[in-house]
Amino acid sequence: MTARRRPRWAELRPLLRTRGVHLNATDRRLAEVASIPDLRRLARRRAPRAVFDYADGAAGEEIALLRSRQAYARVEFQPTVLADVSAVDTSMTILGRRSELPLVFAPTGFTRMMHTEGETAVARVAARAGIPYALSTMGTTSIEAFAAAADGRRWFQLYLWRDREASRDFVVRAQEAGYEALVLTVDTPVAGARLRDVRNGLTIPPSLSLRTITEGALHPAWWFDLLTTEPLEFASLTRFEGTIAELVGKMFDPAATIDDLAWLRSVWDGPLVVKGIQTVADARSVVSAGADAVVVSNHGGRQLDRAPTPLEVLPAVVESVGDRAEVYVDGGILSGGDVVAAVAFGARAALVGRAYLYGLMAGGERGVQRTADILRNEIAGTLALLGLSRVSDVGLEHVRLRGA
């Protein structure tokens, strides 16, 4: 039997035109995308190397990132057959409210560098998908502009700055703008050694050099977009020029302790999520200090190389604090199957960052929408093939780690 070949764009174009469908170049590129790795490859072609590497890379030798991805590759599902999966419910309750997927769009810094539609594009997609999205302190859209972009579930991610009054100001602004939850990231006392950024000479904002001029010739659409839209800068900072490591060293507080979490709990009365938990002991500590949820995370491998692998730590954290706080996970998640696996190992939701950044680089808001559609379809398909009609029914009985 001859294998069926997927139609190419040149073959589909006449048919689409007869039906009144006209796709532009971005739509045509995205129509060829079938997975998040496909989006990654497209993003690599569309964005300058330094920009792509900023999103794609990790710290040191990138061992922590590799291990996170390998952990999901080791997952083996245990399906049940002859089960009614004619209707599949992918929704999950997150912080007491329905989310259409067990998924959160994670906070990412300097998002408009990937594409100038930036955080507002991601916010609109998240609202349509019915999932939360967290704006980063290091974002390129202001707290207020982000809130106005879409009527979705808005979370605000906070770093503890040396200037506590600046941190307090962010909290007050988030409250006044109607943000649902505060996400405190706790794994950045200093900057991780992101060697790709060093080798690429990445600065914020991107500086003109022989290398960037050459990249501009190879990626004219990206540079035209950058140079003809509003300036690329951090929305929550006064103007800054330099490397990410210099920025972290100047602004972030390496002296922060658990007492600062208690202080934050006293000034924020909404749900408080602590992101960057890598041990059971720390999970217990932050929950006792007032966290409503924790994210088992090694910052996508971008801080401490050889850090614990989140998926492997997740079950122990859930067993320890899952009766007192919600537990989420991130790192290495590039498919809907990965999301289902994370839920099976105890996560209430998975956070993804790189996945939607690939979409953003590949095609702006439409690329992010493609990310959301792919993940939604893969989550539903994985559940159906597992013989489950609800994502909330996934548990440890449905997975095992090969070689564990």
Side-chain angles (χ1 to χ4, degrees):
M1 180 181 294
T2 303
R4 295 184 62 185
R5 180 176 61 85
R6 188 174 69 178
R8 308 301 294 177
W9 164 245
E11 298 168 343
L12 291 173
R13 179 167 49 190
L15 175 62
L16 292 172
R17 282 181 174 171
T18 62
R19 298 183 180 181
V21 178
H22 299 277
L23 302 183
N24 63 22
T26 298
D27 293 323
R28 293 198 297 271
R29 287 191 296 269
L30 294 174
E32 298 286 331
V33 167
S35 67
I36 303 303
D38 284 352
L39 273 176
R40 179 181 180 273
R41 286 186 285 271
L42 180 54
R44 191 169 192 171
R45 295 199 303 269
R46 298 289 297 168
R49 177 175 177 176
V51 173
F52 176 81
D53 280 354
Y54 173 76
D56 189 65
E61 299 174 57
E62 303 191 355
I63 294 169
L65 174 59
L66 176 63
R67 288 175 178 171
S68 291
R69 290 178 176 162
Q70 289 174 336
Y72 284 99
R74 290 170 52 215
V75 172
E76 181 176 275
F77 287 120
Q78 308 293 305
T80 297
V81 298
L82 296 177
D84 182 358
V85 291
S86 55
V88 174
D89 180 5
T90 61
S91 69
M92 182 71 80
T93 300
I94 299 176
L95 295 181
R97 295 175 57 185
R98 178 186 174 97
S99 176
E100 294 304 319
L101 299 166
L103 189 67
V104 177
F105 278 170
T108 58
F110 220 48
T111 309
R112 288 187 61 245
M113 184 169 67
M114 316 307 152
H115 189 289
T116 56
E117 292 179 0
E119 290 93 352
T120 56
V122 183
R124 288 189 289 266
V125 173
R128 289 194 293 268
I131 63 174
Y133 171 34
L135 173 68
S136 172
T137 304
M138 309 305 290
T140 43
T141 301
S142 72
I143 292 171
E144 293 76 16
F146 182 87
D151 188 21
R153 296 184 64 179
R154 299 184 295 273
W155 295 4
F156 181 69
Q157 179 272 334
L158 180 72
Y159 292 105
L160 285 175
W161 287 19
R162 294 174 185 268
D163 181 355
R164 285 293 187 273
E165 285 307 307
S167 295
R168 183 192 294 271
D169 179 62
F170 291 145
V171 173
V172 170
R173 288 170 60 191
Q175 287 176 326
E176 292 177 347
Y179 282 67
E180 172 190 355
L182 193 67
V183 181
L184 177 66
T185 298
V186 294
D187 57 3
T188 53
V190 297
R194 301 175 192 175
L195 300 184
R196 290 203 219 180
D197 294 348
V198 174
R199 291 165 182 150
N200 289 328
L202 179 69
T203 61
I204 305 299
S207 58
L208 287 177
S209 65
L210 179 60
R211 177 179 295 175
T212 54
I213 291 170
T214 302
E215 282 287 301
L218 296 173
H219 304 279
W222 184 92
W223 279 101
F224 179 81
D225 185 42
L226 175 70
L227 297 173
T228 57
T229 55
E230 62 183 279
L232 185 58
E233 57 189 11
F234 292 111
S236 298
L237 300 176
T238 56
R239 184 166 179 81
F240 173 84
E241 294 184 6
T243 67
I244 293 294
E246 290 169 344
L247 175 60
V248 171
K250 178 180 179 181
M251 306 302 298
F252 294 8
D253 188 359
T257 70
I258 194 70
D259 292 336
D260 293 290
L261 176 59
W263 166 79
L264 188 60
R265 179 73 283 178
S266 72
V267 299
W268 172 263
D269 58 7
L272 177 59
V273 182
V274 176
K275 179 176 178 290
I277 297 303
Q278 299 169 68
T279 67
V280 169
D282 278 345
R284 290 172 179 163
S285 178
V286 300
V287 170
S288 296
D292 300 294
V294 299
V295 185
V296 181
S297 168
N298 62 18
H299 214 105
R302 295 164 67 80
Q303 282 297 105
L304 174 66
D305 203 9
R306 298 182 177 85
T309 302
L311 185 67
E312 296 174 353
V313 176
L314 174 63
V317 171
V318 172
E319 182 178 3
S320 178
V321 303
D323 59 338
R324 295 185 288 150
E326 294 186 359
V327 181
Y328 316 137
V329 70
D330 73 4
I333 297 169
L334 291 178
S335 73
D338 295 343
V339 174
V340 174
V343 175
F345 280 103
R348 179 67 61 96
L351 278 69
V352 299
R354 286 185 177 92
Y356 74 72
L357 291 181
Y358 294 145
L360 193 62
M361 286 185 281
E365 182 172 339
R366 285 167 291 181
V368 179
Q369 185 64 58
R370 189 74 186 110
T371 298
D373 292 343
I374 288 170
L375 293 175
R376 180 193 305 108
N377 292 337
E378 289 178 342
I379 290 169
T382 301
L383 290 172
L385 291 171
L386 274 171
L388 299 170
S389 59
R390 297 185 303 180
V391 71
S392 56
D393 289 337
V394 180
L396 286 172
E397 66 273 22
H398 300 113
V399 286
R400 73 181 185 95
L401 284 178
R402 295 181 62 85

